[in-house]
Structures are given as C-alpha cells and as structure tokens.
Amino acid sequence: MRVGIIGGGIIGLYTAHFLLQREVDVTIFEKSTPGSGSTGRSGGGIRSQFSTPVNVELSTTSRPHWDAFEDEFETDIRRRRVGYLFLARDEPTARQLEKDVKMQNEYGVPSEYLEPNEAAAHCPGLYVSAFTGASYSPQDEFVDPHLVTMALVDQVESSGVTIERHTEVTDVHIGCSTGIGVQTENGTSSFDTVVNTAGPWAGRVTAMADLSLPIKPELHRLAYVLPETALPETVPLTIDLDGGAVFRPEGEEGVSVGGHTGSHPRCDPDSFPQEASLDWIEAALEGVAAISDRFGPETELVNTMTGLYATTPDSNPIIEETCPGFVNVIGFSGHGFMHAPAVGQVVTELIMDGEASSVDISSLTSDRFDDTSAIDEQSVI
C-alpha cells in the first residue's frame, strides 16, 4: 500500500511513524520544512485536563508514547512536568471544572478539584478572593517541539519514509482509476490513500478535493515578559478560564503570557502578523496582572510570537475518511501536538483496518456539524 501525507508537522510525522510499523510505503509532502508550521510555533504542552471524553482519551492514549519517547527515539526532549492549573472566577465555570475532574478521573487522570486557597499553593501571589474554584493535574507537562520533530524526522526517514521538502501540493485528484492523485510542481503521484494533515492549510487541501469542511486558521499570540517579581520554574501553566489570560514560566526569569484575551482573527497561513499588536499585549498583561500580584507595573516586555490554530466550530478535530481514500486529520484547535501519538495510531488503524480501535473517534466526524450533535470542548487555551 502507498500512502501520501500532505503536511510535515507532528501529526503527519506520527502518522508516518505508525504506518511504517504496518510496512506501508509513505511519502510526506511538505511545502516548507518539517515542523515549520504550527508545530514549530507550539508551546509543547501535553495535558489531560479536557472537558470532552474523546480529548481526555486522546491524551491518555498518547501518554505512554510521550513517557517512552526519549528511550524510543534516543533523544532528550527537555520534559518539564510542572502541571496545569485551571482557575474559575464564575460559579458555573467552577462547577464545570468539578464535573470535568470527575470525568477525567474515570479515565485514570490524576487531576483534582481545588478550592482557591489550595490553588494558591501552586500559583504564588494568586488573588484568592477573585476565584471560586480550580483544577490541577501534576501529570501535565511541557516538551521541546523542535527536538520532538527532529527525532521523528530522523526516525521516519531512516526507516524509509520519503519527505518531499519545499514541495507544495497544488491539487488533489479524487476518483482516479489509479488511486488518489497528489499534484505538485514536480508532477502527479498516485496513492491508495491520501491523508490531509496540513494544519492551518487544511481547508485549502480539502477544497482541492472539492470538499468543504469548517476549518478556520485563527491567529494566536504570545508575549515573553520579565515579571515584576520572579516566578519559580516549578509554577504550573496557569489559566484564568473566565478572564482568558494564561501564563507559564520560561527558564529562570522569563514568563510566557497569552490566552483568549480579545479576538482571534482569521488569517492567511501564508501571510499573517509575525508580532503581536500593542493592543493585544496590553490586554494580555492586564489579564495576568488580574491573576497574580507577581505581574506588577514593572513587568517588562521582552518579545512576542504569533502562530495559527486550525480551529473547528466546536474546538474538536475532524478525523475521518471523508471520501474513499481521502482521510482528513484536521482542526485540532491547538491540541494537535499533545495528541499526535494517539492520532497517528488511530489514523493508521482507520487506513489499515477500516476503523479506529485505540480511541472511539465516532464523535469526530464532520457530519456532527450537520445535525448539531457537536459538543464544544471548553478547556481551550
């Protein structure tokens, strides 16, 4: 069997990794270099605190692969297991967190619901009176996306995967007598199955196949700051679910600041702002200053970074064989990096066995948007 993968980010690479184990001939088409899209701009977060069971299950299925990654790929990926802390200001948000923790625990996730004073033990300077509840999992962590990507690239290429770098796909031909055709400036190649893992470009790829799926490339931003009072490196990623701001320590002194402060405009993935605007920076700094007293007026801006989420209306991915031989694995809404091992595994099962067995992905087909059966993922960062 021959499989073509459009997109050389972590989802495409992990899919190739698992297809290799089934002795599949794999070619990856990457318009730039592997990991140069959203993967390279990822924060490298890995968590299991989600509000929908399918995302929790994708996390728990990915977890053993992340735990074994450094041994399997013989590389240090700079793991930092400091946890994630979710904060609720409003009572309904706190009750949702409590419900989420109960569901997560049923899947074996060691998360716990906390009262605000308990949350303050994890977040120095927390304005305890501003919050009504929190959740925390010590298992959540961060790794280095670049080191992960390079390890995967080395492994799949050395095992026989062809990565066509700087090769942009210009058309996809469905229903050809010789299979699915992938057209580039170098000609057309035929495959038994083609997998769309193009991230923010995924909507363009589906359009090439005369399909329309609800994928929006959405701008997200980060600011790197030196807080007025330093934060220990052991402080978890902390998010104010109602206020929208999020922060986490970066090294000995710096902190990255971001979150859902303001709008996330739709952007052209080939041309989007490379720096955050002053208005957004001001809103983000005000947001974190409302969480902890460590972000006083002397907090110093160092740099900013931008990137794109490929989003869906319910913030859950689409994983399906949309038409015979054409598989879409798209719209991860910022969760693709952490879920990549499980996704590569289930996509391989879908292609080779006709259905996924590791995770029940029946809720992730695109027809959920037709009958309003979609359930929004609430825990989006």
Side-chain angles (χ1 to χ4, degrees), residues 2 173-182 188-194 324:
R2 297 192 68 219
H173 304 290
I174 304 293
C176 301
S177 59
T178 55
I180 308 292
V182 175
T188 300
S189 303
S190 294
F191 299 92
D192 299 294
T193 298
V194 170

Side-chain angles (χ1 to χ4, degrees), residues 89-173:
R89 293 178 182 271
D90 302 335
E91 193 63 33
T93 307
R95 300 289 71 80
Q96 181 65 49
L97 280 180
E98 205 167 17
K99 179 181 176 182
D100 293 345
V101 165
K102 182 178 179 181
M103 179 268 292
Q104 293 157 12
N105 292 166
E106 291 173 354
Y107 284 89
V109 177
S111 56
E112 57 182 330
Y113 181 79
L114 304 175
E115 296 299 329
N117 62 312
E118 296 175 307
H122 299 288
C123 180
L126 180 70
Y127 292 118
V128 173
S129 62
F131 298 96
T132 59
S135 69
Y136 172 74
S137 174
Q139 190 182 61
D140 298 337
E141 64 180 320
F142 298 93
V143 299
D144 187 312
H146 175 73
L147 295 175
V148 169
T149 301
M150 292 304 99
L152 281 164
V153 168
D154 289 346
Q155 191 269 343
V156 299
E157 283 197 301
S158 65
S159 300
V161 170
T162 300
I163 300 180
E164 298 286 357
R165 293 169 172 80
H166 302 288
T167 303
E168 184 173 359
V169 172
T170 56
D171 209 352
V172 177
H173 304 290

Side-chain angles (χ1 to χ4, degrees), residues 125-366:
L126 180 70
Y127 292 118
V128 173
S129 62
F131 298 96
T132 59
S135 69
Y136 172 74
S137 174
Q139 190 182 61
D140 298 337
E141 64 180 320
F142 298 93
V143 299
D144 187 312
H146 175 73
L147 295 175
V148 169
T149 301
M150 292 304 99
L152 281 164
V153 168
D154 289 346
Q155 191 269 343
V156 299
E157 283 197 301
S158 65
S159 300
V161 170
T162 300
I163 300 180
E164 298 286 357
R165 293 169 172 80
H166 302 288
T167 303
E168 184 173 359
V169 172
T170 56
D171 209 352
V172 177
H173 304 290
I174 304 293
C176 301
S177 59
T178 55
I180 308 292
V182 175
Q183 184 174 321
T184 71
E185 62 181 7
N186 300 321
T188 300
S189 303
S190 294
F191 299 92
D192 299 294
T193 298
V194 170
V195 185
N196 177 11
T197 63
W201 293 268
R204 294 184 184 178
V205 175
T206 60
M208 293 175 193
D210 296 323
L211 298 169
S212 179
L213 296 177
I215 302 295
K216 173 187 174 184
E218 187 179 87
L219 183 67
H220 285 248
R221 292 149 284 199
L222 282 177
Y224 295 93
V225 305
L226 298 177
E228 184 175 85
T229 306
L231 288 167
E233 290 185 80
T234 54
V235 171
L237 179 143
T238 301
I239 176 169
D240 177 351
L241 288 170
D242 295 305
V246 58
F247 66 84
R248 76 169 195 189
E250 295 280 358
E252 294 182 0
E253 298 183 346
V255 174
S256 62
V257 171
H260 292 273
T261 52
S263 64
H264 296 294
R266 186 187 187 104
C267 287
D268 181 343
D270 288 323
S271 178
F272 62 91
Q274 298 298 296
E275 296 180 351
S277 67
L278 291 177
D279 287 346
W280 181 87
I281 294 169
E282 182 178 355
L285 293 179
E286 288 177 354
V288 294
I291 299 173
S292 167
D293 64 13
R294 298 298 178 100
F295 298 93
E298 298 302 314
T299 295
E300 178 184 347
L301 176 68
V302 177
N303 200 358
T304 67
M305 185 179 80
T306 62
L308 298 179
Y309 283 9
T311 63
T312 64
D314 63 359
S315 299
N316 288 309
I318 297 170
I319 305 177
E320 66 177 6
E321 186 174 17
T322 308
C323 57
F326 188 66
V327 177
N328 281 295
V329 190
I330 58 181
F332 284 84
S333 305
H335 311 138
F337 182 89
M338 66 186 73
H339 287 160
V343 172
Q345 188 171 328
V346 299
V347 172
T348 297
E349 293 164 355
L350 190 62
I351 293 170
M352 302 303 294
D353 306 326
E355 62 180 358
S357 55
S358 297
V359 178
D360 180 2
I361 57 170
S362 59
S363 64
L364 301 181
T365 55
S366 60

Side-chain angles (χ1 to χ4, degrees), residues 23-96:
E23 299 183 348
V24 175
D25 183 354
V26 181
T27 299
I28 297 175
F29 296 94
E30 169 52 51
K31 71 191 301 291
S32 183
T33 56
S36 59
S38 293
T39 297
R41 293 171 181 264
S42 163
I46 299 169
R47 63 180 167 107
S48 300
Q49 293 187 79
F50 286 94
S51 68
T52 50
V54 67
N55 279 318
V56 175
E57 196 171 359
L58 286 170
S59 291
T60 57
T61 303
S62 294
R63 171 61 59 188
H65 297 288
W66 287 120
D67 288 342
F69 193 99
E70 292 185 321
D71 288 337
E72 181 177 0
F73 293 93
E74 298 181 347
T75 187
D76 176 9
I77 56 174
R78 298 178 185 168
R79 298 180 75 179
R80 290 194 298 127
R81 185 166 285 186
V82 294
Y84 275 50
L85 178 68
F86 289 80
L87 299 169
R89 293 178 182 271
D90 302 335
E91 193 63 33
T93 307
R95 300 289 71 80
Q96 181 65 49

